[in-house]
């Protein structure tokens, strides 16, 4: 009986869970890019939960790296009202996709119960802030920064190198007072990895079970699918993403992060039924 306590809400880890992606960047809702509609985001959240999302991952970060402080307020303006509305209307655990300490703090105050940080708490103040907040944290591996990561990704041994990084971040968390019970791990598909790196990481995902921590996997619509499927555009990557979701669950993934809720929920329920059969 394993579960992840996310503030007042709980994630059941006895079966694989679907984390639905809810981007609240201006270009992710076709409103002309001027403002984010709290109502539209809430509607989308309700639909995602109806389709089977177990967790909602809310992200409003600028894609531009090295963002100046003024963008901190912008990120807050995007995500906080959406988190407040969803927390008021839905019982689902809410994850905040951010690397900024201030956003972590405000998001948890607004009702988020999990921190999803693609920088694995390496940002300024993030480690201490996460420690104080007392909610689970997903530590994701990335080589380089978002701006440079795809220029020339290199590893001695991609599985081992990613494991070494995660080992170091678990250690840093432990030193900061974040207990193991609060940690999730993610190899970070597409973050500073070539196609082959991504394929090997998925093939060898079971090697990450040695950490004995819940594994989160996000491959939904990513370019590794397009690369395998004759440059399939983003809207033609569903089947490839589902294949990856099956393989990830079979190799021990606890949470699948996806845009495509119902298909992913069906596929992982079916996969889990076979795995759990006796
Ligand atoms: C991941 C992620 C993204 C992922 C975790 C995209 C925020 C790129 N990818 N978080 N975030 N894992 N934990 O295509 O793979 O969704 S953004």
């Amino acid at each position: 009986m394993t579960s992840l306590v996310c503030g007042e809400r709980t994630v059941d880890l006895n079966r694989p869970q679907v984390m639905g992606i809810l981007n609240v960047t201006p270009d992710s809702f076709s409103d002309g890019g001027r403002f984010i509609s709290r109502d539209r985001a809430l509607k989308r959240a309700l639909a995602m939960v109806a389709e089977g999302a177990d967790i909602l991952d809310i992200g409003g970060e600028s894609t531009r790296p090295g963002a100046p402080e003024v963008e901190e307020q912008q990120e807050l303006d995007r995500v906080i009202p959406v988190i407040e509305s969803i927390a008021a209307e839905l019982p689902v655990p809410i994850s905040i996709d951010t690397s900024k300490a201030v956003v972590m703090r405000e998001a948890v105050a607004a009702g988020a119960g999990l921190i999803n940080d693609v920088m694995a708490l390496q940002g300024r103040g993030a480690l201490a802030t996460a420690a104080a907040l007392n909610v689970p944290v997903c530590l994701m591996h990335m080589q380089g920064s978002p701006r440079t990561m795809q220029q020339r990704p290199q590893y001695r041994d991609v599985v081992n190198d990613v494991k070494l990084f995660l080992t170091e971040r678990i250690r840093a968390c432990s030193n900061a007072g974040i207990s193991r019970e609060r940690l999730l791990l993610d190899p970070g598909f597409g973050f500073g990895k070539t196609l082959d790196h991504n394929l090997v990481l998925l093939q060898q995902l079971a090697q990450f079970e040695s950490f004995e921590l819940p594994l989160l996997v996000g491959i939904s619509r990513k370019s590794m699918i397009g690369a395998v499927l004759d440059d399939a555009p983003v809207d033609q990557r569903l089947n490839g993403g589902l294949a990856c979701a099956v393989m990830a669950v079979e190799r021990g993934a606890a949470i699948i992060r996806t845009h495509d809720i119902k298909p992913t929920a069906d596929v992982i329920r079916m996969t889990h039924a076979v795995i759990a059969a006796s």
Side-chain angles (χ1 to χ4, degrees):
M1 185 54 199
T2 359
S3 60
L4 194 65
V5 180
C6 300
E8 287 161 23
R9 302 164 191 211
T10 301
V11 176
D12 172 17
L13 293 178
N14 293 305
R15 55 174 185 84
Q17 302 285 299
V18 176
M19 172 184 269
I21 301 169
L22 186 58
N23 286 318
V24 287
T25 46
D27 38 61
S28 62
F29 287 92
S30 46
D31 57 8
R34 278 178 299 280
F35 63 97
I36 313 295
S37 163
R38 183 203 279 246
D39 281 0
R40 290 194 69 174
L42 179 60
K43 278 210 181 89
R44 177 68 191 135
L46 288 162
M48 289 201 292
V49 170
E51 288 179 26
D54 302 296
I55 307 165
L56 295 177
D57 189 35
I58 318 284
E61 209 162 0
S62 166
T63 46
R64 206 154 64 79
E69 297 252 331
V70 286
E71 291 184 18
E72 210 163 72
Q73 190 56 47
Q74 188 179 55
E75 189 178 333
L76 288 167
D77 292 344
R78 289 173 182 175
V79 296
I80 301 304
V82 171
I83 292 170
E84 283 174 351
S85 309
I86 294 172
E89 300 293 328
L90 286 163
V92 69
I94 299 165
S95 160
I96 175 67
D97 158 20
T98 191
S99 299
K100 296 190 186 77
V102 182
V103 179
M104 291 173 188
R105 197 180 307 122
E106 296 293 317
V108 170
L114 192 154
I115 295 166
N116 177 28
D117 183 4
V118 299
M119 283 179 56
L121 304 181
Q122 293 172 106
R124 186 157 36 87
L127 199 55
T129 296
L133 288 173
N134 215 22
V135 296
V137 181
C138 180
L139 302 174
M140 198 198 77
H141 172 272
M142 165 166 36
Q143 183 176 89
S145 69
R147 189 167 42 87
T148 60
M149 65 188 184
Q150 289 309 114
Q151 280 171 12
R152 194 181 277 268
Q154 275 184 4
Y155 297 88
R156 203 174 53 80
D157 170 334
V158 67
V159 173
N160 197 53
D161 292 1
V162 172
K163 284 180 78 173
L164 284 172
F165 170 84
L166 293 173
T167 302
E168 186 274 318
R169 295 315 298 158
I170 293 166
R171 178 91 242 159
C173 285
S174 163
N175 291 341
I178 303 174
S179 65
R180 279 180 62 84
E181 293 72 58
R182 274 214 270 152
L183 297 180
L184 300 96
L185 303 179
D186 186 336
F189 288 94
F191 286 85
K193 281 123 188 147
T194 64
L195 172 61
D196 281 343
H197 294 143
N198 287 312
L199 295 176
V200 169
L201 277 172
L202 181 54
Q203 181 195 70
Q204 298 297 319
L205 190 73
Q207 290 199 39
F208 291 85
E209 287 184 304
S210 62
F211 287 106
E212 298 185 5
L213 291 173
L215 301 177
L216 194 157
V217 166
I219 302 184
S220 181
R221 300 185 185 174
K222 284 187 179 171
S223 65
M224 63 182 278
I225 303 167
V228 170
L229 303 181
D230 298 326
D231 296 318
V234 170
D235 67 354
Q236 298 296 315
R237 294 177 185 172
L238 174 59
N239 298 343
L242 295 175
C244 294
V246 171
M247 296 185 78
V249 167
E250 203 170 18
R251 287 158 177 74
I255 301 174
I256 303 295
R257 183 179 179 276
T258 184
H259 304 84
D260 303 297
I261 313 301
K262 181 65 162 82
T264 305
D266 283 353
V267 148
I268 70 175
R269 275 170 65 198
M270 193 69 228
T271 306
H272 180 248
V274 176
I275 292 169
S278 53

